[in-house]
Amino acid sequence: MAQAKTKTHNQLKADIAQLMADNRREKNGHIYTIPSRDTYPYQWLWDSCFHAIILSHIDPEIAKAELSSLASAQFKNGMIPHMIYWQRGDEITPFPVIKWGKRRTSSITQPPMLAIATWQVYQACGDKSFLRDMLPVIRRFHGYLRRQRDPRKSGLIGVVNPDESGEDNSPRYDQALHLDPHHDFQSNFKKRLRLVKNYKDARFMVKQHMDRKHWVRDVPMNSIFVASSRAAAQIAGELDNTLQQKRFTKHAEQTAAGMRLHMLEHDLFWSTMGYNQKKICVRTWALFAPLFAQVATPQEAEALRRIFYDEKTFATKYRIPSTSIDEPAFDPSGDWRGESWVGTNWRGPVWIGANWIMAKGLEKYGMDKERDILVRDSLRLIKKSGFREYYDPLTGKGHGARNFTWGGLLLDLL
Ligand code: GLC
């Protein structure tokens, strides 16, 4: 029995290594991985951090190269863009062209997973010179987020566009975009394009853009920032840089305090919008993200354990749906309300990246039973439907991009 299990794990590892190799690209000495050969032709920020975590189990040297490629695209002001166009992607037809206003990259960012990925890669290779190279990049990136994305010093990092959260069409953004829960793909896309235009018109001056348009503080984004600040403190500590270590620890505490002050209600954390931090009470997987940052008390973690088993919200046949099944916006399928473009769907389907964040969070709270269920469900989805972008939480059917890399995170969970 144990032998059979090892065999399946070895097979899975071989399949993942193959997928990562097939999706690997190189340009001008920069090595990176594209999320999917048929749908996503560029390098993406949080995807690449996931890739580095996966590759830390396969080939730490390539994992280091993946993060160095990201670092090489950092803007002067410290921001790291969410897409880097190393090569043209026009051969992939359904990919929508968005003019972000920059030439070789997009002009927005994505969840700051960089320090977390860097620390994990270091655990695998023990290369201090890699840490030394990455620390200033992380310091400038976090500095940018704290300066530009939190102008009123609430401790919370804001996003200029839903795409920055990595969850392009999540219903957490419906209210801020003035959309009802049943709107269609085109109206959502149009609103997001308008935000891109407004941001360009404001010459990427975040505060100017925010004051007029869009200012959401998202729970996963901030949870990831707290966890990343802690990872950055570990990196600085490893390099005997006690001053930086203290600073990063303080930053983690400030954002954690901001989350508790502004986001918490009835034991759950909610994203907020506008300068008065109105809570957006839409139930999505984001409710579980504070575990990743360890900002929830044991009592709050208990509240999450309850909804983990609640069949009316999150206990689907395959966990965890990105949006609770009792939300009016819930849509478990790949075709978003009949739209044929393979647009991403965060309004119901299961995403393995989110499952990874939740599994890590549950681990931190000693909720091993729930963690194991989540890992088991992720594995069942991959066995049933292969490496897909996302999966129907009710049937396990795979949707969106094929040969999608995030399933490789299973290597880090098994
Ligand atoms: C989709 C996802 C986003 C991801 C990108 C590339 O847009 O919503 O999170 O980064 O695809 O995989």
Side-chain angles (χ1 to χ4, degrees):
M1 178 73 180
Q3 227 174 5
K5 221 174 180 178
T6 318
K7 190 163 165 245
T8 8
H9 284 181
N10 286 344
Q11 186 55 52
L12 182 72
K13 186 168 178 181
D15 291 348
I16 291 170
Q18 188 61 51
L19 171 66
M20 296 305 287
D22 290 344
N23 287 14
R24 186 168 308 143
R25 297 289 178 271
E26 189 174 347
K27 180 76 186 203
N28 302 339
H30 293 287
I31 292 174
Y32 63 100
T33 312
I34 56 172
S36 153
R37 304 192 287 284
D38 65 14
T39 309
Y40 295 116
Y42 310 116
Q43 182 173 21
W44 264 263
L45 172 51
W46 79 327
D47 299 67
S48 263
C49 295
F50 290 148
H51 296 159
I53 289 167
I54 300 164
L55 289 165
S56 73
H57 295 274
I58 299 169
D59 186 341
E61 286 305 310
I62 305 278
K64 285 192 314 197
E66 177 100 24
L67 295 182
S68 303
S69 300
L70 269 186
S72 75
Q74 184 166 40
F75 289 4
K76 277 205 191 79
N77 67 4
M79 197 191 88
I80 301 182
H82 93 303
M83 286 160 78
I84 309 170
Y85 315 125
W86 292 110
Q87 310 186 40
R88 296 180 67 124
D90 352 348
E91 70 279 8
I92 294 180
T93 34
F95 196 79
V97 178
I98 299 178
K99 296 204 164 66
W100 296 101
K102 300 267 173 193
R103 273 202 321 134
R104 292 189 188 85
T105 68
S106 73
S107 53
I108 61 163
T109 192
Q110 248 187 349
M113 295 271 308
L114 185 60
I116 297 165
T118 299
W119 182 245
Q120 173 136 354
V121 172
Y122 173 70
Q123 302 300 303
C125 67
D127 178 357
K128 274 202 184 174
S129 69
F130 168 66
L131 281 193
R132 246 176 251 121
D133 291 344
M134 294 306 289
L135 186 63
V137 177
I138 295 166
R139 184 177 50 72
R140 290 202 303 272
F141 184 28
H142 284 211
Y144 164 83
L145 293 172
R146 284 171 47 83
R147 243 182 2 259
Q148 296 277 320
R149 301 314 186 84
D150 184 18
R152 302 212 176 161
K153 307 278 170 260
S154 67
L156 298 178
I157 306 301
V159 295
V160 298
N161 188 312
D163 296 52
E164 288 202 315
S165 69
E167 294 181 63
D168 326 9
N169 72 342
S170 168
R172 291 202 301 284
Y173 293 97
D174 288 357
Q175 270 185 60
L177 294 177
H178 307 287
L179 289 167
D180 76 74
H182 298 290
H183 66 269
D184 57 21
F185 167 77
Q186 286 302 340
S187 35
N188 182 291
F189 197 49
K190 249 191 240 154
K191 293 267 184 171
R192 278 154 50 208
L193 286 181
R194 195 165 313 148
L195 284 179
V196 174
K197 182 176 181 311
N198 180 260
Y199 191 39
K200 278 192 291 193
D201 290 349
R203 294 178 178 274
F204 311 113
M205 306 284 281
V206 178
K207 195 162 172 299
Q208 203 175 320
H209 168 75
M210 290 294 135
D211 278 342
R212 302 221 311 267
K213 291 287 168 195
H214 192 82
W215 198 221
V216 171
R217 281 86 161 190
D218 199 42
V219 172
M221 188 89 175
N222 281 280
S223 303
I224 290 168
F225 186 71
V226 173
S228 256
S229 300
R230 293 208 180 108
Q234 278 175 303
I235 293 169
E238 189 72 7
L239 295 173
D240 298 321
N241 188 336
T242 35
L243 183 68
Q244 281 297 328
Q245 187 182 17
K246 275 193 197 137
R247 280 200 185 136
F248 280 121
T249 307
K250 195 176 94 199
H251 298 167
E253 281 161 13
Q254 283 171 345
T255 300
M259 286 181 71
R260 296 199 62 81
L261 180 66
H262 298 290
M263 295 177 156
L264 196 55
E265 192 168 305
H266 301 310
D267 286 346
L268 297 172
F269 289 79
W270 306 94
S271 298
T272 72
M273 58 186 260
Y275 277 114
N276 57 1
Q277 306 251 17
K278 185 174 164 231
K279 292 190 184 69
I280 305 169
C281 294
V282 177
R283 284 174 298 279
T284 68
W285 76 274
L287 292 175
F288 295 90
L291 298 177
F292 187 65
Q294 288 177 284
V295 300
T297 60
Q299 178 187 322
E300 289 148 14
E302 263 322 302
L304 290 174
R305 195 200 301 272
R306 281 196 296 278
I307 59 174
F308 185 92
Y309 292 109
D310 178 8
E311 288 179 0
K312 287 196 217 70
T313 54
F314 289 101
T316 45
K317 184 166 177 197
Y318 300 88
R319 288 181 176 87
I320 293 263
S322 47
T323 296
S324 162
I325 58 177
D326 71 341
E327 280 292 341
F330 177 69
D331 176 0
S333 74
D335 304 331
W336 186 19
R337 306 214 188 277
E339 182 66 36
S340 60
W341 177 61
V342 287
T344 63
N345 188 2
W346 286 90
R347 302 174 80 82
V350 179
W351 289 71
I352 305 295
N355 274 7
W356 179 84
I357 291 173
M358 287 184 272
K360 290 281 160 185
L362 292 165
E363 214 169 277
K364 291 178 190 182
Y365 282 78
M367 293 162 77
D368 295 344
K369 195 169 150 223
E370 291 73 21
R371 177 211 182 269
D372 290 349
I373 294 174
L374 196 51
V375 175
R376 184 205 62 193
D377 281 3
S378 308
L379 193 56
R380 281 167 63 221
L381 284 169
I382 288 167
K383 280 194 180 149
K384 183 177 163 72
S385 304
F387 295 106
R388 296 299 297 266
E389 188 176 3
Y390 46 86
Y391 306 86
D392 187 316
L394 310 175
T395 65
K397 188 164 184 265
H399 290 289
R402 289 166 199 278
N403 298 307
F404 193 69
T405 46
W406 294 14
L409 286 167
L410 249 297
L411 266 194
D412 192 55
L413 294 173
L414 288 170

